[in-house]
């Protein structure tokens, strides 16, 4: 038996088509502002990829770069300016930030209506209260992938390995909303295999190549491999691999590849979130237009 491959690129295209259609119903082309601090090569590459994809699907984007030495106050001033700029619908600050800048202060400062990464505490709280709005891109992209491939969620046992704020925690909230029975495992979980073997849906977001071996997977389970690990083979050639051992394909019912699985969904979801942010703001403006005509409420 070999698992059905849940390919990311065509699924991401479907998500982008849907986002582009929704964008077409808005009064203006949605605009994503991306802030980068410093020249970390991975951040430079991620930001370039996000801006390029935005252009490909017909959204506007601008990239604002501050030097590595920029102060927290300078970054907060830029965020404040972008928050009040009505021409900007979505705003994200590329992480990680230089060590002298407090990440929490920066994430708090972003207008929750423009928070396309879904990291503002208001959006995190709304997600856990069962009212998801702007939600973190990787977990939201995974939900889209599961629904797109008609993977049943309601009543199923879902196990997430990894409890980061970026992936594991928000995904747990989204799967609860989808009526799955959710377990979150992490670095202190005892006998990880006994936990993962119970899963109809197993999502792995750890960052350890080959962590999940075939004996840890229930036959026929859906396995979502979020991990992205750079490894060098015996010939000295670099490769990207996930957290799931390739032999799991012989046990699982469906499996996402690495690369070409969850990765493309993350960027597509960012652009879908930008459209959603623009929709929220358009609704807010309509509401405020009946009263004082100012910026309106955070409408969900
Ligand atoms: P993180 O380092 O913030 O969190 C890792 C989690 O794994 C922690 O919660 C930790 O408790 C858990 N963990 C560590 N060792 C473990 C073990 N032996 N058994 C069980 N749990 C263990 O990482 P992250 O930001 O959540 O990213 C996880 C992986 O997903 C990385 O490889 C990252 O590159 C990748 N990632 C991919 C995408 C994408 O778009 N495909 C997006 C985000 C992250």
């Amino acid at each position: 038996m070999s698992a059905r491959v849940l390919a990311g690129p065509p699924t991401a295209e479907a998500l982008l088509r849907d986002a582009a259609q929704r964008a077409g119903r808005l009064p203006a082309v949605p605009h994503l502002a991306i802030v980068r601090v410093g020249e970390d090569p991975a951040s430079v590459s991620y930001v370039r990829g996000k801006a390029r994809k935005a252009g490909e699907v017909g959204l506007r984007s601008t990239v604002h770069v501050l030097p590595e030495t920029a102060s927290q106050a300078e970054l907060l001033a830029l965020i404040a300016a972008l928050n009040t700029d009505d021409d900007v619908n979505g705003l994200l600050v590329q992480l990680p930030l230089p060590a002298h800048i407090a990440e929490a202060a920066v994430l708090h400062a972003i207008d929750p209506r423009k928070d396309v990464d879904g990291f503002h505490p208001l959006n995190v709280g709304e997600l856990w209260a069962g009212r998801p709005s702007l939600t973190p891109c990787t977990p939201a992209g995974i939900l889209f992938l599961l629904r797109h491939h008609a993977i049943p969620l309601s009543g199923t046992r879902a196990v997430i390995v990894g409890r980061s704020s970026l992936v594991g925690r928000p995904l747990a909230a989204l799967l609860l909303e989808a009526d799955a029975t959710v377990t979150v495992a992490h670095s202190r979980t005892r006998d990880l295999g006994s936990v993962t073997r119970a899963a109809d849906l197993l999502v792995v977001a750890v960052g350890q190549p080959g962590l999940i071996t075939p004996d840890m997977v229930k036959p026929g389970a859906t396995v979502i491999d979020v991990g992205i690990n750079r490894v060098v083979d015996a010939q000295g050639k670099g490769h990207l691999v996930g957290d799931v051992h390739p032999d799991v394909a012989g046990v699982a019912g469906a499996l996402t590849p690495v690369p070409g699985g969850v990765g493309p969904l993350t960027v597509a979801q960012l652009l879908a979130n930008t459209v959603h942010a623009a929709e929220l703001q358009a609704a807010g403006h309509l509401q405020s237009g009946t009263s004082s005509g100012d910026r309106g409420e955070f409408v969900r």
Side-chain angles (χ1 to χ4, degrees):
M1 185 178 87
S2 191
R4 174 159 74 114
V5 175
L6 305 175
T11 316
E13 287 308 315
L15 176 54
L16 289 171
R17 267 197 308 277
D18 175 66
Q21 272 171 13
R22 282 166 39 211
R25 292 195 283 270
L26 284 163
V29 176
H31 176 190
L32 170 65
I34 306 174
V35 177
R36 170 162 64 75
V37 184
E39 300 299 324
D40 168 58
S43 293
V44 170
S45 156
Y46 286 141
V47 167
R48 193 185 297 130
K50 290 169 184 178
R52 188 182 54 228
K53 200 73 194 171
E56 276 173 27
V57 299
L59 303 189
R60 288 182 297 151
S61 71
T62 46
V63 178
H64 304 258
V65 181
L66 294 179
E68 183 82 25
T69 51
S71 68
Q72 183 167 314
E74 283 172 282
L75 176 55
L76 292 177
L78 174 59
I79 292 170
L82 294 168
N83 276 345
T84 52
D85 183 347
D86 280 342
D87 187 49
V88 171
N89 303 108
L91 168 56
L92 78 86
V93 177
Q94 183 67 38
L95 302 177
L97 291 166
H100 65 277
I101 297 179
E103 190 179 293
V106 171
L107 298 180
H108 273 73
I110 293 171
D111 183 335
R113 289 172 301 185
K114 299 190 178 186
D115 172 36
V116 285
D117 266 341
F119 295 154
H120 188 284
L122 185 100
N123 284 321
V124 175
E126 292 283 28
L127 173 60
W128 279 102
R131 295 186 295 270
S133 178
L134 287 170
T135 49
C137 299
T138 301
I142 290 170
L143 256 287
F144 184 88
L145 177 109
L146 293 168
R147 293 208 162 105
H148 186 75
H149 290 277
I151 306 289
L153 298 175
S154 178
T156 58
R157 278 176 189 269
V159 173
I160 302 164
V161 188
R163 57 175 162 182
S164 71
S165 309
L166 192 64
V167 188
R169 285 169 201 250
L171 182 62
L174 287 173
L175 287 173
L176 278 176
E177 275 310 290
D179 297 324
T181 302
V182 181
T183 301
V184 182
H186 47 79
S187 56
R188 301 294 174 94
T189 296
R190 289 196 203 113
D191 191 4
L192 183 62
S194 72
V195 179
T196 57
R197 263 191 303 277
D200 304 306
L201 168 65
L202 176 61
V203 185
V204 192
V206 172
Q208 279 183 31
L211 175 72
I212 302 298
T213 48
D215 57 302
M216 298 168 78
V217 176
K218 180 175 175 174
T222 297
V223 181
I224 307 294
D225 190 354
V226 186
I228 300 178
N229 307 290
R230 280 169 214 284
V231 294
V232 178
D233 66 18
Q235 284 74 43
K237 197 163 170 272
H239 298 275
L240 285 186
V241 300
D243 292 343
V244 175
H245 192 283
D247 290 351
V248 168
V251 180
L255 179 63
T256 55
V258 178
V262 173
L265 266 304
T266 298
V267 179
Q269 185 64 49
L270 170 68
L271 302 177
N273 279 1
T274 302
V275 173
H276 185 48
E279 288 168 343
L280 292 175
Q281 291 145 35
H285 279 289
L286 280 179
Q287 208 183 48
S288 69
T290 59
S291 54
S292 64
D294 60 14
R295 286 176 53 79
E297 297 299 314
F298 186 5
V299 175
R300 286 175 183 277

